[in-house]
Amino acid sequence: MTTEDRSQPIEGNVLIFDTTLRDGEQSPGVALNVEEKLEIARALERMRVDFIEAGFPASSPGDLESVTQIAKQVRGSAIAGLARAVQADVDACWEAVQHAEHPRIHVFLSSSDIHIMHQLERDKERVLEMARTMVARAKKYCDDVEFSPMDATRSELEYVYRMLTECIDAGATTVNIPDTVGYAIPEEFGDFIRKIQENVSNIHKASISVHCHNDLGLAVANSLTAVTAGARQIETCMNGIGERAGNASLEEVVMAIKTRPDYFHLSTSIDSTQIHRTSRLVSQLTGMSVQPNKAIVGVNAFRHQSGIHQHGITKMRQTYEIIDPAEIGLPHGTTLVLNKNSGRHGLKSRLDDLGYEITTAELDRVFVAFKELADKKGEIDDRDLDALVSGERRTVEEVYKLDLLQVSCGNQAIPTATVRIIGPDGRPSESTSTGTGPVDAAYRAINGLIGVPNQLLEYTVNSVTEGIDAQGEVTVRVEAHDRTFVGRSADTDIVVASAKALMNALNRAIAQAPREPQEAWSNP
Ligand code: KIV
Ligand code: ZN
């Protein structure tokens, strides 16, 4: 086995079914609006994922709307929606995905005794009938139907075989095997996939997919073992986000298959050069930062600390790197291209290179913010541009705008903040507050003016680049109207970034209609 030997015969293709917008959005504290979901969907399309699971249309009017919009506007990937095995869900799913060039309805129903007895509280024969009839109903609408026996890895094998056989007979063209609670061990999971092929008599009429959760840190290992056993679709999330410990991470699964053709003899359709950018986008919009040592997309993934490693790398990259950073779209070193003398054209051309498709109005705002930042810190690199674009893109209406923030603080002073905000009527209002620190004082003043009752759940600040003049990127998570909202902003002054991040979250809370409650057993 040698690295960089990519001339291996490829014997098949593994489909990538990305569920960042459905299972990923179920990550605790994540709530994306329609525009943000569309932006992620376009990035996934650019990365050439085969399927985008765009949401769970019956779960809320917002999800129905975002799946509908994605189905209407995204053309390069097939669009799937999730549905419980009940009529209303299947109908809502079709209502949303029917607009896609290639729609898919994904029906799921639990197969494990523990779910059937304690959650569904139904007889096992009745559960089989629900699965069968709802797959048949989906099939009347749509040729492409996926069925998932939820909690398959903790289910009685014979029952899973029966459920799959009946659902394939009813029209399922893909059967997905979820390791819903991340309980499986790779060898065992591979055996399960083989046994399904041996015991489900009509399995040749469907393709096998896997959907692995990461509760034991084995989601990627289980997914890859499943493809060696015959699965031909993997369900993934960007950055490995998702319920609890998350799902199999797209970037890890894809780069493992790409880096080891000698082992897998398989390919995917993914344009891996889009990975870095899509990972940044998902992290920014969900407010879920990527751990520094995360495989493929962590900031340390291509950094070499030890002198011996650095020495090796300078002689030959492959001594300590199995992936060329360019393969995931990471520029070599820091691309330092823009400064305060750069014009609008130079900025636009760099944003084009980075793959941003922005409107003229957005470019106008980014250019103003770019000039202000360049005046403060001189040199602007791609990471600064990412932060600027994300701050100046309006994915939520700015009902309240920050007009002025002034703070005084210090070891002998009482932290005090004065805030002036322009309200929905266009009129300014001002308030001064004290607090335990400048951010607390500013937050008290903002809350006094905006009047949306909320609780700050999480506050993080990260440096966008190195150096004392770097922008600080602040992410906050607040709870308001029984929901969680993420707010984000970057500025060279972290108190300003903090104030704008809170206002961003509160503007989202104002914009978003409350979600309708789901039935208790509905949560996949
Ligand atoms: O984890 C799970 O079982 C799911 C199903 C809906 C596929 O997300
Ligand atoms: Zn799941």
Side-chain angles (χ1 to χ4, degrees), residues 19 22-23 26 178 180 211 213 243 247 524:
T19 183
R22 199 277 298 167
D23 214 318
Q26 287 174 214
T180 303
H211 174 108
H213 278 270
E243 275 283 359
N247 289 67

Side-chain angles (χ1 to χ4, degrees), residues 49-105:
V49 304
D50 299 285
F51 287 87
I52 295 172
E53 186 165 51
F56 185 179
S59 68
S60 71
D63 245 39
L64 181 75
E65 171 63 8
S66 51
V67 179
T68 305
Q69 288 309 324
I70 292 169
K72 283 184 176 166
Q73 297 185 39
V74 172
R75 284 287 169 255
S77 307
I79 308 297
L82 185 67
R84 292 168 298 179
V86 294
Q87 275 192 22
D89 276 35
V90 173
D91 296 355
C93 188
W94 178 244
E95 187 186 330
V97 298
Q98 63 176 310
H99 306 283
E101 216 159 58
H102 181 147
R104 171 179 284 188
I105 299 179

